[in-house]
Amino acid sequence: MPDDDPEVGAPPQWRLAHLMDGYLTTQLLYVAAKLGIADLLAAGPRTGPAIAEAVGADPGLLGRALRGLVLEDVLAEQDGRFALTPLGACLRDGVPGSMRGPAIARGELYYTAAAGLLRAVLHGGTAFEQVHGERFFDHLARHPEREAVFQASMAGRAAQEAGDVVAAYDFGGYRRLVDVGGGRGILLEAILGSAPELHGVLVDRPAVVPEARRRLEAAGLAARCELVTADFFEAVPAGADAYLLSRVVHDWDDADAGRVLATCRTAMPPGSRLLLVEAIVPERARDRPAAVRMDLHMLVLLGARERTEAEYRRLLEASGFQLLRVVPTRSQAGLSVLEAAPAGPGR
């Protein structure tokens, strides 16, 4: 809340009421992101009716929603016009650190799933499945438009995190790296840019690989990378000296995560390294709030989880790996690179 918000210093009931109204805030941000209001206001303040005309909305109703965004410091009121704040500027499309994709995903895809949280914590399972009757990734496969929303959200997050990863971890010692579940290739692009001698292989689902190909070709990296369509539960390309799983293992419970790790273990020659990029859950929630919030996303959407360092160590050992070191990044999300090797002789 802004420093001059009248709720600052108010009784705890007011603060709690504000938290209860989080459902409104999610949808107000979704409206702003979906209609491109931040991009519209980037050129300067406009009146409510002018904004409504530009985006094809009802002037009276949109005006009321815009005032709700003022309360959250996403917009500001200036002489009868609405202006963009630094917070609202994060909803612009295509700018560094853009949060437009995540705002749309939360309002369009995650929002309804949260309604199943009570049933999940009482009876087990996943909130998303309680609401939709199917697993998250199966749902995306049946709804390409929602797959696109999800991938746009992941791309926005990956763009923020890729620089943090390559700044913290030196990829220059590897010759061939397989990016398992590499999405649109954002992290692989950054890694190849940081290690000029490295050859990359991106592995992901058929719906994702074409976008990765376009990105890597546009970056002039086509000669140094290969794109493979594969199910990482079944097989990944063999013989590389590094296997990267960025924000992959946290999507799965221990049993399924172990299957992914076993697939990589089978493909790895002696001396190869496994690199996990994940947020590590702290002992106390307030020590790393972003990791705890991501854990809640996993609870709602996938029935999966973020893990502590000790839990990753146990998971890796059960899958035939030894954790060698944990390299923290400067990421606000609390990301670290966990480097592991196949356990046993020849590692």
Side-chain angles (χ1 to χ4, degrees), residues 70-155:
V70 170
L71 295 182
E72 302 300 337
D73 200 33
V74 177
L75 300 179
E77 288 179 302
Q78 297 180 355
D79 302 322
R81 298 180 298 169
F82 293 96
L84 205 56
T85 66
L87 194 64
C90 297
L91 293 176
R92 292 184 62 191
D93 192 29
V95 298
S98 172
M99 296 294 289
R100 183 171 185 259
I104 293 174
R106 281 159 174 75
E108 195 166 298
L109 186 58
Y110 304 176
Y111 182 81
T112 55
L117 183 57
L118 178 60
R119 278 175 285 170
V121 298
L122 286 177
H123 306 297
T126 303
F128 187 92
E129 294 173 28
Q130 296 280 4
V131 172
H132 293 283
E134 60 184 342
R135 299 183 75 174
F136 182 73
F137 288 115
D138 293 339
H139 182 82
L140 295 186
R142 292 200 313 107
H143 298 277
E145 73 286 355
R146 292 192 166 187
E147 170 82 23
V149 165
F150 176 69
Q151 290 299 333
S153 176
M154 295 302 98

Side-chain angles (χ1 to χ4, degrees), residues 162 166 175 177 179 184-202 211-227:
V166 298
R175 301 179 306 278
L177 177 144
D179 187 358
R184 297 185 176 190
I186 294 170
L187 179 54
L188 183 58
E189 178 186 351
I191 291 171
L192 292 175
S194 74
E197 303 302 317
L198 181 64
H199 182 89
V201 182
L202 185 143
E211 179 62 30
R213 178 174 288 107
R214 286 190 290 270
R215 169 178 287 278
L216 294 167
E217 288 177 350
L221 297 169
R224 293 175 51 208
C225 64
E226 176 185 354
L227 292 99

Side-chain angles (χ1 to χ4, degrees), residues 254 258 261-262 311-322:
D254 284 356
L261 294 175
E311 288 170 334
Y312 273 114
R313 187 181 300 276
R314 288 195 294 270
L315 178 64
L316 287 164
E317 288 175 353
S319 303
F321 291 96
Q322 178 184 7

